[in-house]
Amino acid sequence: MEYRILGKTGLKISRMGFGGIPIQKIDAAGTRALMLKLRDAGVNYIDTARGYTVSESYLGEALEGIRQDFVLATKSMSRDKEGMAKDIDISLKNLRTDYIELYQVHNPTMAQLEQVLAPGGALEALLEAKAAGKIGHIGITAHALDVFEKALELPWVETIMFPYNIVETQGEKLIAKCKDKNIGFIDMKPLAGGAIENATLALRFICANENVTVTIPGMAELHEIDQNIAACADTAPLTNEEKAAVNEVRSQLGTNFCRRCNYCQPCAAGINISGVFLFEGYLSRYGLADWAKGRYATLPVKASACIGCGACESRCPYGLPIRKMLKAAAEKFGE
Ligand code: SF4
Ligand code: SF4
């Protein structure tokens, strides 16, 4: 296993980490088996979130007695001080620990990031928790390029998490900037939310990029760990055959895959277009129907509100048939 220093945090972590979304569909005992296997393989980076329902508490139970072998990272969608302070305490309790190495602001929009930074915002709680020794370091996660770009300029940001994979390379230039600024880059969605079926190729593509500090494929089955470790261990440049396979994946997914760049906004009906497609991916590809429906329910305007004006499609750089895709999503979610 290759190890890297996670930017300003100074933490030494394995190049492959563990993404804690899929354990929602197993249980604490199954999670324990995964943790033991990861520990034996030298994987020491665990990512979870307050928003991943039972994920933190399954991990807390599964890590009893082996907590010290892992670096724990979690995150909260609270934007104000009170909510963030409360969430940090819940995470500590769920994870059965008195210290979390990395706590992240979970996927804010630009407007929400301003709220986080404002007086009484979530950042105050994070800094206080850090000073009190409850958390070690502070990071941020994003799906939108403008938030990524802004995060690079914030002095308290020690790590940035953003999607990067064969079909989502829009963050590549900013990922390179992370290295220049000594910010740890954590790659999420290495398999594009399950859309890329060839996991080995997907991880080879990511680990061949020097600027990626760690990638966090979600895993819920033991056999996935061996396969993913083998792929991440091979950091040689992609062979010509692999490059051809990458192009093949792009041509298969490229016509109907949302990169969450948000260039299509604003929507005339107020729909969070990329949000709809994100949750639709969880519904269709992650096998997490209840969770995806719960997240979708939080969207103030549903896909069915599309009035078909087409303005978004003229702005989408990938030429996605957004209206058709929203219609399909509305049918799947039933609203
Ligand atoms: S076509 Fe639908 S999704 Fe696109 S801008 Fe118009 S209302 Fe919004
Ligand atoms: S629909 Fe197109 S423009 Fe909108 S977020 Fe997705 S890829 Fe970007």
Side-chain angles (χ1 to χ4, degrees):
M1 179 55 59
E2 187 192 358
Y3 293 87
R4 291 284 180 93
I5 300 298
L6 184 60
K8 294 177 194 170
T9 72
L11 294 164
K12 190 177 173 190
I13 58 162
S14 49
R15 191 90 192 282
M16 189 190 95
F18 174 82
I21 292 180
I23 55 171
Q24 293 175 85
K25 61 186 176 193
I26 55 171
D27 55 20
T31 306
R32 171 91 180 166
L34 294 172
M35 292 304 116
L36 291 172
K37 192 164 174 67
L38 290 171
R39 181 198 59 174
D40 293 347
V43 173
N44 73 344
Y45 187 83
I46 307 289
D47 175 80
T48 181
R50 289 274 35 257
Y52 301 164
T53 64
V54 293
S55 179
E56 282 185 339
S57 54
Y58 281 0
L59 284 166
E61 191 175 335
L63 292 172
E64 281 289 339
I66 54 171
R67 157 73 183 96
Q68 67 283 358
D69 296 325
F70 294 94
V71 166
L72 293 183
T74 189
K75 44 188 128 41
S76 157
M77 299 193 80
S78 290
R79 309 305 183 208
D80 63 359
K81 182 177 179 180
E82 196 187 342
M84 182 58 83
K86 207 168 145 196
D87 269 353
I88 292 169
D89 286 339
I90 295 171
S91 295
L92 287 164
K93 191 165 173 255
N94 284 346
L95 289 163
R96 302 188 185 187
T97 185
D98 56 7
Y99 178 76
I100 293 167
E101 282 84 351
L102 178 64
Y103 213 96
Q104 299 151 108
V105 177
H106 193 167
N107 192 22
T109 61
M110 281 298 269
Q112 289 168 340
L113 183 55
E114 274 175 31
Q115 214 186 327
V116 167
L117 299 172
L123 180 60
E124 288 181 3
L126 287 162
L127 292 171
E128 282 179 15
K130 190 174 173 182
K134 291 182 177 181
I135 64 172
H137 305 277
I138 305 171
I140 185 167
T141 79
H143 284 92
L145 281 172
D146 53 355
V147 178
F148 191 163
E149 200 157 17
K150 171 81 179 170
L152 282 165
E153 306 305 326
L154 299 171
W156 50 270
V157 169
E158 297 174 80
T159 65
I160 297 176
M161 184 193 292
F162 193 80
Y164 174 64
N165 56 58
I166 289 173
V167 291
E168 292 182 282
T169 55
Q170 67 275 16
E172 217 155 47
K173 284 190 187 138
L174 297 181
I175 294 168
K177 283 193 184 169
C178 285
K179 198 168 188 190
D180 299 341
K181 289 175 171 280
N182 193 27
I183 291 172
F185 178 71
I186 303 159
D187 169 49
M188 69 159 122
K189 308 268 183 302
L191 308 188
I196 303 169
E197 287 173 8
N198 185 341
T200 299
L201 181 71
L203 293 171
R204 280 275 296 125
F205 173 82
I206 291 156
C207 292
N209 183 339
E210 265 296 296
N211 298 327
V212 175
T213 315
V214 57
T215 182
I216 50 167
M219 292 172 268
E221 292 179 34
L222 289 168
H223 72 88
E224 293 169 323
I225 294 177
D226 290 327
Q227 183 191 15
N228 291 348
I229 286 174
C232 290
D234 185 358
T235 56
L238 296 181
T239 64
N240 286 339
E241 288 76 23
E242 285 173 321
K243 283 181 189 163
V246 163
N247 287 335
E248 179 62 26
V249 171
R250 284 179 178 152
S251 64
Q252 276 172 11
L253 293 177
T255 52
N256 64 356
F257 191 80
C258 174
R259 277 83 167 169
R260 307 181 198 102
C261 62
N262 289 334
Y263 293 133
C264 52
Q265 291 292 349
C267 160
I271 301 168
N272 174 348
I273 297 170
S274 61
V276 170
F277 296 150
L278 179 66
F279 301 147
E280 193 272 331
Y282 287 133
L283 181 77
S284 307
R285 297 192 289 268
Y286 266 73
L288 291 166
D290 290 345
W291 184 59
K293 284 177 185 165
R295 299 284 301 271
Y296 184 77
T298 66
L299 292 176
V301 184
K302 304 294 186 283
S304 56
C306 174
I307 54 171
C309 67
C312 54
E313 290 181 12
S314 62
R315 293 190 288 258
C316 175
Y318 304 98
L320 298 190
I322 297 173
R323 287 172 286 189
K324 207 170 135 200
M325 290 166 69
L326 284 176
K327 196 161 176 255
E331 277 165 17
K332 283 185 194 168
F333 284 112
E335 57 179 327

